Amino acid sequence: MSGINSSPVWRFFKKEVHNGQDFAKCLSPGCGKMLLCSTGSTSGALRHLQSCHKDLYEELQQIKQQRDSQKLKESSKAEGLFQPTLQQSIKKSRPWDIEDSRSKELDLAIVRMILLDGQPWTMVQEAGFQGLMKIASPQYTIKSEKFYREKLNDVYNCAKKNIRQQLDDLTSVAVTCDIWSEKGLSFLGLTVHGIKEMLSVSEADCCNDNTQAQVCKLERFSTTLAMQHLIEVHTSSNIANVLTEIFADWRIESKTIAIVTDNAANMLKAVRTMLPSSANGATADSNFSENIGGSVSCAAHKLNLIVQDALKQQPCVEAIIGKCRRFVSSMHHSTTSQGRFEKLQKALELPQHKLKCDVPTRWNSTLHMLQRVLEQRSAISAFVADRSDFEEISSNEFTIIEKVVNLLSIFEELTLEVSKESTSISYLIPMVALLQKFLEKAALDKDAISGVRSLFDSLVRGVNSRFSDIPIRLDCILATALDPRYKLAFFPAAERDQKKKIVLEFCSTTTTVTGHNSRQEQEVTSGNGNFASSPSPEDDECTREAFDQPLLQSAVFWTICSVILMPTQCCSPAAALKSC
């Protein structure tokens, strides 16, 4: 009640306790009214003074004003809002020494800003930046461009130390790497991904003796470790040597269980050299003692190769794409043509969108070009009607374009989904199942693939060949089955019991995880054979034996997939599959 007694209201009231409750008794002569104030609020007492004792209420307001004025004087003095002495004024206007801690802090802050925002080092010489710093911190002396460049190593070493400490706390990591070239220079980029265990106190899980229980929470960790300039020829041995050096520098060589790359032969061979025990990923028939993971080919790159190969299989489709590309390119190089095309768009009430030209190395840019051509079909037809220097796109060719767009749209949707930062390996089996289901349905619609049969057949062959390893990879099976959004729904019905036993067998041979939370343990299978949160010991002999393992009784195990896999708000392939 210390907060209550400090209020000036208590000059006019007295606190009394009756039957275990707090009351405020009015001290005004002849009143003595008792007001309940068990929550510590004085609002009831204020209203009583305002309505019944106006003279006391006015006196209370004067007391408050005097107290507020005194507080303002004290705070102003504490904050330095007073007339400084001459010496203080001189000291305040004097520039900071280069060794001053405040100056050093701003030095590093400017370097971090340049790095994070991708600004040039010459920014410190620009008039705008210097004017800003003169107002924001007039005592700070802006240094030369060379000075801030030399601070780069300090910032890098500090960041490297922090990241290395976090990596040391991880038991295992997965790595993604790729090589690209620009302006005659080649670089190898490498990122690392893992799961951090964070211990926190949960009041909901307090023990019977009112002590608070610690709960293990899992958190994604992902960061870029290197962007290495490659000088040597890109042979598998040279790539493996560079990766080995990076792994050793960051102390992750013994904890890396998977390396994700594109499908280039030199990259795949380099990974097989580094992870020989699980070079191609353990399969469902592999020994469980093998590492899960190994070499993992980029699914987005595979989708890209499937579509690019398929587009080359049908010459008529390539010819139509070439005609669209030439039309769009001609439009981009003629301002007169662009102006006339815009007038046609307005006259035909079409969206005022510019035509898109594709990029040879990105198949989805070809899809975007064809989609925009279909959108502007009326304007394009009207434009070429009286222009002999432009090739006409016939009605039949527009029909083929429409069919190509319909076939390829799902590949773009899946490419965008699998390219999300939150996507994990649990998405691969549902993705392949969704693709196969879509292609099976398209095969039944003869009109949908009429004129583009070669393209369609090539897509089917590409999906079946390039993703043939996904349904039998142990890591894919485990991740999908334990993902609460997918469970066993995307496995063929005849294989669900087998996949269930694979998961339980793996769990029974995995290192024991301690901890138990019965609230998060429910049955493994529902009526349709799908995994739920934890196993039911009544299923069968295999299940009962596996359920005795402490790992399966751990809440950490049965909740880990909901943390390390995609967020629940992501689009579920199950919903898309139902629409097929």
Side-chain angles (χ1 to χ4, degrees):
M1 302 298 292
S2 59
I4 294 179
N5 293 331
S6 64
S7 172
V9 173
W10 293 104
R11 296 190 181 188
F12 308 98
F13 287 87
K14 179 183 179 182
K15 188 184 75 170
E16 295 185 1
V17 179
H18 297 282
N19 298 326
Q21 291 185 316
D22 294 332
F23 288 87
K25 180 179 179 181
C26 182
L27 299 179
S28 177
C31 182
K33 187 174 180 64
M34 304 289 288
L35 302 172
L36 183 65
C37 62
S38 57
T39 61
S41 173
T42 58
S43 56
L46 284 172
R47 287 194 297 269
H48 177 71
L49 291 179
Q50 188 176 12
S51 60
C52 302
H53 308 287
K54 295 187 181 298
D55 54 335
L56 298 180
Y57 181 76
E58 291 178 358
E59 183 180 347
L60 174 64
Q61 296 303 315
Q62 292 178 359
I63 294 173
K64 282 186 175 182
Q65 291 177 1
Q66 292 174 358
R67 189 179 66 170
D68 293 343
S69 177
Q70 182 63 28
K71 285 184 177 181
L72 180 61
K73 290 180 180 179
E74 293 175 357
S75 63
S76 298
K77 185 176 181 180
E79 295 174 4
L81 300 179
F82 55 89
Q83 182 68 34
T85 63
L86 179 60
Q87 290 78 7
Q88 289 173 333
S89 299
I90 295 174
K91 184 178 180 180
K92 189 173 182 180
S93 61
R94 183 182 302 159
W96 292 331
D97 185 78
I98 192 172
E99 296 298 326
D100 191 289
S101 59
R102 294 166 294 182
S103 179
K104 289 183 176 181
E105 185 178 0
L106 272 177
D107 291 339
L108 296 179
I110 290 173
V111 175
R112 285 193 295 267
M113 180 194 70
I114 292 174
L115 296 176
L116 292 174
D117 296 344
Q119 298 293 337
W121 294 102
T122 55
M123 184 192 74
V124 297
Q125 301 174 351
E126 302 293 337
F129 176 78
Q130 293 186 354
L132 171 66
M133 293 303 298
K134 187 175 181 180
I135 296 175
S137 184
Q139 292 174 272
Y140 176 74
T141 302
I142 299 176
K143 285 77 171 182
S144 66
E145 173 189 339
K146 180 181 178 181
F147 174 87
Y148 295 106
R149 282 181 180 272
E150 292 174 348
K151 290 290 182 182
L152 179 60
N153 285 335
D154 295 338
V155 175
Y156 172 78
N157 290 331
C158 179
K160 184 176 182 178
K161 180 181 178 181
N162 293 334
I163 293 174
R164 185 179 279 170
Q165 288 176 347
Q166 296 183 70
L167 288 174
D168 289 343
D169 294 336
L170 300 179
T171 57
S172 59
V173 297
V175 168
T176 302
C177 59
D178 191 20
I179 296 177
W180 75 97
S181 300
E182 184 175 352
K183 297 181 180 179
L185 300 176
S186 296
F187 299 92
L188 184 145
L190 188 143
T191 59
V192 65
H193 317 274
I195 304 298
K196 294 194 297 185
E197 295 185 11
M198 311 290 291
L199 289 177
S200 63
V201 176
S202 173
E203 296 181 359
D205 295 324
C206 289
C207 303
N208 294 331
D209 57 355
N210 293 327
T211 59
Q212 293 181 321
Q214 283 191 328
V215 177
C216 179
K217 293 186 177 180
L218 304 172
E219 185 178 282
R220 285 175 177 268
F221 173 82
S222 180
T223 189
T224 300
L225 293 187
M227 191 181 74
Q228 186 80 25
H229 179 206
L230 299 181
I231 302 176
E232 303 292 336
V233 180
H234 302 172
T235 62
S236 60
S237 59
N238 289 337
I239 295 173
N241 290 337
V242 172
L243 290 176
T244 301
E245 292 176 2
I246 296 174
F247 283 24
D249 185 30
W250 292 96
R251 302 196 291 258
I252 60 172
E253 60 268 41
S254 62
K255 60 178 66 176
T256 301
I257 63 171
I259 302 179
V260 181
T261 67
D262 59 17
N263 293 270
N266 56 348
M267 290 294 290
L268 295 177
K269 188 176 180 180
V271 172
R272 285 195 294 268
T273 302
M274 299 186 64
L275 300 174
S277 63
S278 56
N280 297 310
T283 65
D285 298 326
S286 301
N287 189 323
F288 285 126
S289 64
E290 295 183 4
N291 284 336
I292 295 178
S295 174
V296 181
S297 297
C298 175
H301 187 242
K302 283 186 175 182
L303 290 171
N304 180 55
L305 294 177
I306 290 171
V307 176
Q308 285 190 340
D309 292 344
L311 290 174
K312 298 174 184 177
Q313 297 301 314
Q314 190 143 8
C316 71
V317 173
E318 272 203 301
I320 295 172
I321 292 175
K323 185 181 290 188
C324 294
R325 186 181 297 121
R326 288 189 294 272
F327 177 85
V328 174
S329 179
S330 298
M331 291 292 296
H332 285 179
H333 289 85
S334 174
T335 55
T336 304
S337 298
Q338 290 179 24
R340 184 168 180 272
F341 191 78
E342 291 174 359
K343 291 180 180 179
L344 288 172
Q345 286 178 317
K346 293 179 181 179
L348 296 170
E349 297 182 351
L350 293 174
Q352 301 293 300
H353 294 159
K354 291 186 177 181
L355 298 175
K356 295 181 178 181
C357 195
D358 64 343
V359 179
T361 57
R362 296 289 181 267
W363 77 266
N364 52 347
S365 66
T366 301
L367 176 64
H368 298 159
M369 179 183 70
L370 297 179
Q371 289 172 331
R372 186 56 54 85
V373 166
L374 281 178
E375 178 192 85
Q376 302 295 329
R377 175 176 180 174
S378 300
I380 292 174
S381 299
F383 182 86
V384 301
D386 58 350
R387 292 289 298 268
S388 58
D389 53 333
F390 281 85
E391 297 177 271
E392 181 182 1
I393 303 177
S394 66
S395 176
N396 183 53
E397 289 173 330
F398 273 116
T399 301
I400 291 179
I401 291 175
E402 188 173 359
K403 292 180 179 181
V404 171
V405 168
N406 290 337
L407 279 177
L408 299 186
S409 292
I410 188 173
F411 285 87
E412 186 195 28
E413 293 177 16
L414 295 177
T415 299
L416 295 176
E417 189 68 32
V418 81
S419 300
K420 288 182 178 179
E421 186 178 355
S422 58
T423 302
S424 77
I425 201 170
S426 72
Y427 184 70
L428 296 185
I429 288 178
M431 180 192 73
V432 174
L434 178 59
L435 266 176
Q436 292 174 337
K437 187 72 174 179
F438 173 84
L439 294 174
E440 288 174 6
K441 182 181 177 182
L444 299 176
D445 188 353
K446 302 301 181 183
D447 293 336
I449 59 177
S450 175
V452 291
R453 184 75 201 193
S454 298
L455 172 66
F456 173 79
D457 291 340
S458 181
L459 291 174
V460 174
R461 288 193 301 270
V463 171
N464 292 335
S465 63
R466 293 192 180 276
F467 291 113
S468 59
D469 63 318
I470 297 302
I472 62 174
R473 283 186 64 115
L474 179 59
D475 45 15
C476 292
I477 294 172
L478 293 174
T480 303
L482 294 175
D483 191 323
R485 295 160 306 143
Y486 309 141
K487 305 178 185 177
L488 298 180
F490 288 93
F491 295 100
E495 299 179 9
R496 289 177 183 173
D497 288 340
Q498 177 198 11
K499 298 299 190 254
K500 169 185 168 184
K501 290 183 179 180
I502 289 173
V503 175
L504 294 175
E505 183 182 352
F506 173 78
C507 296
S508 66
T509 58
T510 306
T511 304
T512 300
V513 179
T514 58
H516 180 73
N517 189 340
S518 60
R519 293 186 304 146
Q520 295 181 348
E521 295 179 357
Q522 302 168 357
E523 58 180 19
V524 149
T525 57
S526 55
N528 59 2
N530 293 345
F531 266 78
S533 298
S534 70
S536 170
E538 289 81 17
D539 284 339
D540 51 35
E541 189 65 29
C542 175
T543 309
R544 285 196 296 273
E545 181 180 352
F547 187 73
D548 291 335
Q549 299 296 324
L551 175 65
L552 295 187
Q553 300 176 10
S554 168
V556 174
F557 177 82
W558 295 107
T559 58
I560 189 171
C561 50
S562 65
V563 181
I564 67 174
L565 305 178
M566 291 184 296
T568 54
Q569 63 266 28
C570 291
C571 177
S572 170
L577 188 57
K578 291 180 180 178
S579 64
C580 291

